[in-house]
Amino acid sequence: MEMNYDESTLHELEEELHTRIYPGTEIMTDVGSHHFVKSSDNSHRVLVPQPSPDPNDPLNWNPMWKLAAMSTTTLTSFAQGFGPLALAPMFPQLIEAFDSDLAGVVRFTSVCILVLGFSNFIWVPIQTSFGRRPVLIFSTLICLVSNIWRAVAKDYSSFMGACILNGIGAGPAETAQPTITADVMFLHERGFWNTLYFAFYFGSLMVGPIIAGPMAVHAGWRNFWWLNVALLGLTLVLLLFFFPETKWHRQHPKELAAAHTATFTPTEKGMTSNLEDPKLPHDQQPGITVVDGIVSELDHTATAEQDPYLHRGSPSKKQFKLWQNNRNALKSILLDLWIPWKLFAFPIVEFAAFVVSWSASSFLTLNLTQSQNFAAPPYNFSAQSIGFMNFAILIGAMLGLLTNGPLSDWVAARATRKNKGIREPEMRLPAMIPYVLIMLLGNFVVAFGYEYKWDWKAIVIVGYTCAGIQVAAIPSIASTYAVDSYKPVAGSIFVAITVNKNLWGYGFAEFVTPWIIADGYLPPIMLNMSLIFLWCSFGVLFYFVGKTCRKWTRNSKVHDM
């Protein structure tokens, strides 16, 4: 629940709507005497969360600054994800350079994945305590240093150390952008931006191998890491000048109640806020009137009057500081170390973690097996050719981006209209259905194509494209559902999701190669597909009982953070 209602207002709304409002439930229309800031004077769409009347509020920023913030954040996610999973096409060159075997060089990827997930226990507390800006800047700097190290590494141990440092630096690629999206964008806009994030982040994992393969053949594998250094250097410069701080404190209902109490003066009608203009009669007051702590006499004030800075604001100089001060930094950090583990007890977060983890592992399967399958007879493809096959996954991800954002927003908006303007987070879940079917098709084609050596065009055009579509769409829907339900801890939600995902990814990367050698491609790929389908099928259950799960956690302190 991102609308900051006090208890009395909340009770009034529940009485008028004849429904219970739990965290995550949002009112997307005016209700009786309650009127809210809308996207424009001519619109009936209520903005969630309600922006403050402050020009520096990220929700009020003009379109140019919002685009600058989201573009630099998306570039950061792309740049940090570009290198860690790009090794697959250059496995033959790495085996030769470091006198290793396939399992040994696959470990470069698996260890980086594992460290990347747990590094967010460092980054998210810093993000919560000192802001998003220092996290993006310093993590990008660490990635830059690690890629220089990769480029000059002389032996296996040195390259492994660079992989570990790269994993530490790349952690925010998996947690920062969803939090920043919730800072800057309204609820009805987040479907597109979250899908954009997943498309570009997973897209970076796809583009990396496309470029790494040809570079390993024609320019040497070390030059790929120098390309990463250049990309990360550009990103760092853009972050310094075009990414202001987006962390913004929004008052909780208890804070609002305290503020109202402090500013009320007795009258015959009760306790009336001093927001009223004493020169005008009571029935001609503009803006908001608060009576007995309840917004009960709010007239149809124009949006421009309620929030004169909506779509016109800009960041302040303070928001370009390297970090923001925090009086309770230690307490905030300790909470952020504990909250991700606490969230594993929340059914909705657990559902999102498992769906995202196994959907992403479908893509990881292709990344880890493409050289093993296509470099061997009867294909005998070069590293360059294998790298180019990732174009199919990238095209699939772009299709997922173009379809999922509008589809999930349309599904949720349609259900909201049918529900008299009340939006529940569960309303997004039906949008998963077509992408789950696409996931099943893709995994069947890849598994049987690999095993029975089908024509490579069928495997790549159908199987790889389907994998790209589902990995851009399914994680976006599931994670957006969790964030909509528990927005105050969006960063911690993605820590929980990332730890779950990368632990599974590490284990899968460790055992998939010897398992394929022993039993073929069908058992590991089909088992992984079955687990994806199992976790996604719980979406049906949560569509009906998700609100009950939110009821169980409605009094949790995570909603006051």
Side-chain angles (χ1 to χ4, degrees):
M1 183 173 60
E2 296 184 55
M3 300 286 276
N4 290 326
Y5 313 118
D6 59 36
E7 290 297 325
S8 299
T9 303
L10 184 64
H11 181 68
E12 266 203 355
L13 289 169
E14 289 179 334
E15 289 291 321
E16 292 196 47
L17 294 168
H18 308 292
T19 189
R20 297 304 303 270
I21 300 174
Y22 299 122
T25 302
E26 301 295 351
I27 311 302
M28 305 297 290
T29 186
D30 291 336
V31 178
S33 60
H34 303 276
H35 306 288
F36 307 105
V37 178
K38 302 177 180 65
S39 54
S40 71
D41 286 339
N42 300 320
S43 174
H44 295 287
R45 176 185 284 147
V46 169
L47 295 177
V48 177
Q50 291 277 279
S52 63
D54 188 315
N56 305 138
D57 184 343
L59 291 175
N60 283 331
W61 287 352
N62 62 53
M64 184 194 74
W65 274 113
K66 286 195 174 191
L67 181 61
M70 295 308 301
S71 298
T72 50
T73 306
T74 302
L75 176 62
T76 304
S77 299
F78 182 91
Q80 292 186 358
F82 187 65
L85 265 68
L87 284 73
M90 61 174 75
F91 281 161
Q93 286 80 6
L94 294 175
I95 290 171
E96 181 181 351
F98 299 125
D99 192 24
S100 185
D101 57 14
L102 180 60
V105 295
V106 166
R107 195 166 289 116
F108 288 141
T109 298
S110 62
V111 170
C112 185
I113 289 171
L114 182 66
V115 173
L116 192 154
F118 280 92
S119 72
N120 283 298
F121 281 104
I122 301 171
W123 294 118
V124 168
I126 296 173
Q127 175 179 280
T128 303
S129 298
F130 302 107
R132 306 4 169 174
R133 182 171 159 84
V135 165
L136 294 191
I137 290 172
F138 287 113
S139 64
T140 301
L141 183 60
I142 290 173
C143 285
L144 189 149
V145 172
S146 70
N147 278 273
I148 294 174
W149 187 0
R150 285 206 202 224
V152 301
K154 300 299 183 184
D155 55 40
Y156 185 94
S157 298
S158 179
F159 195 83
M160 180 63 80
C163 291
I164 292 170
L165 184 63
N166 198 174
I168 293 172
E174 297 202 333
T175 55
Q177 186 159 347
T179 304
I180 293 166
T181 299
D183 289 340
V184 176
M185 296 297 167
F186 294 104
L187 179 65
H188 69 277
E189 300 170 321
R190 293 178 194 163
F192 169 78
W193 288 103
N194 279 329
T195 304
L196 181 76
Y197 158 64
F198 278 104
F200 269 79
Y201 175 60
F202 284 113
S204 72
L205 308 182
M206 302 161 197
V207 172
I210 291 172
I211 297 175
M215 287 194 72
V217 172
H218 298 293
W221 62 268
R222 294 182 186 275
N223 283 318
F224 174 74
W225 303 109
W226 289 117
L227 174 65
N228 273 261
V229 171
L231 175 61
L232 289 161
L234 172 64
T235 303
L236 188 59
V237 171
L238 293 175
L239 284 171
L240 287 169
F241 293 102
F242 295 103
F243 181 74
E245 181 56 59
T246 64
K247 183 175 182 287
W248 187 269
H249 177 69
R250 302 196 184 283
Q251 289 185 306
H252 301 301
K254 292 176 183 177
E255 294 174 313
L256 288 171
H260 289 159
T261 301
T263 57
F264 288 161
T265 53
T267 69
E268 293 181 3
K269 296 187 67 173
M271 304 294 285
T272 305
S273 168
N274 63 6
L275 292 173
E276 294 186 7
D277 186 341
K279 297 179 182 179
L280 295 176
H282 178 79
D283 60 355
Q284 296 179 21
Q285 292 293 333
I288 300 173
T289 301
V290 185
V291 179
D292 293 328
I294 303 172
V295 185
S296 58
E297 295 185 23
L298 182 59
D299 62 13
H300 292 268
T301 309
T303 289
E305 294 180 38
Q306 293 188 53
D307 183 5
Y309 299 108
L310 184 64
H311 309 313
R312 299 176 183 176
S314 61
S316 64
K317 289 183 179 180
K318 181 182 177 182
Q319 286 168 303
F320 280 95
K321 288 174 60 179
L322 197 53
W323 65 79
Q324 305 296 310
N325 295 325
N326 186 347
R327 295 178 184 175
N328 301 308
L330 180 60
K331 178 183 177 182
S332 178
I333 288 171
L334 291 175
L335 274 174
D336 277 318
L337 290 172
W338 159 241
I339 292 298
W341 301 107
K342 178 178 180 177
L343 290 174
F344 277 123
F346 290 24
I348 290 171
V349 176
E350 192 71 11
F351 163 72
F354 274 69
V355 169
V356 173
S357 300
W358 268 264
S359 175
S361 74
S362 180
F363 163 69
L364 181 63
T365 301
L366 304 187
N367 183 274
L368 296 174
T369 59
Q370 55 188 214
S371 284
Q372 189 174 358
N373 182 69
F374 287 118
Y379 304 107
N380 297 314
F381 288 142
S382 67
Q384 174 175 295
S385 298
I386 294 170
F388 284 158
M389 289 176 181
N390 289 278
F391 271 119
I393 311 176
L394 180 62
I395 291 169
M398 293 302 106
L399 291 174
L401 167 64
L402 293 173
T403 58
N404 175 57
L407 175 63
S408 62
D409 285 342
W410 177 80
V411 168
R414 185 170 181 269
T416 301
R417 286 194 298 272
K418 286 188 172 183
N419 201 35
K420 300 179 181 178
I422 305 169
R423 174 168 291 187
E424 307 288 359
E426 291 76 21
M427 291 174 176
R428 286 189 187 276
L429 294 177
M432 289 176 64
I433 294 172
Y435 301 107
V436 172
L437 297 177
I438 289 170
M439 178 276 298
L440 292 172
L441 173 62
N443 276 274
F444 269 112
V445 169
V446 169
F448 283 90
Y450 278 1
E451 185 70 20
Y452 297 108
K453 306 305 175 188
W454 290 1
D455 188 302
W456 69 269
K457 291 187 284 293
I459 299 172
V460 173
I461 294 173
V462 179
Y464 281 28
T465 302
C466 287
I469 294 172
Q470 68 87 27
V471 84
I474 294 176
S476 172
I477 297 169
S479 60
T480 301
Y481 171 45
V483 170
D484 286 351
S485 300
Y486 303 103
K487 191 269 175 184
V489 287
S492 295
I493 287 172
F494 275 89
V495 174
I497 289 173
T498 301
V499 167
N500 196 80
K501 173 174 69 68
N502 289 21
L503 269 175
W504 170 248
Y506 172 76
F508 192 67
E510 286 290 304
F511 67 66
V512 70
T513 300
W515 191 2
I516 288 171
I517 293 171
D519 298 323
Y521 290 98
L522 283 176
I525 296 177
M526 296 306 289
L527 175 62
N528 197 53
M529 181 201 74
S530 300
L531 288 171
I532 301 170
F533 182 76
L534 174 63
W535 309 136
C536 289
S537 67
F538 277 93
V540 178
L541 177 66
F542 278 95
Y543 184 78
F544 293 103
V545 304
K547 188 168 184 175
T548 302
C549 294
R550 290 186 285 117
K551 175 184 176 182
W552 295 339
T553 60
R554 68 188 185 278
N555 295 321
S556 172
K557 291 184 179 179
V558 301
H559 298 295
D560 297 326
M561 296 183 68

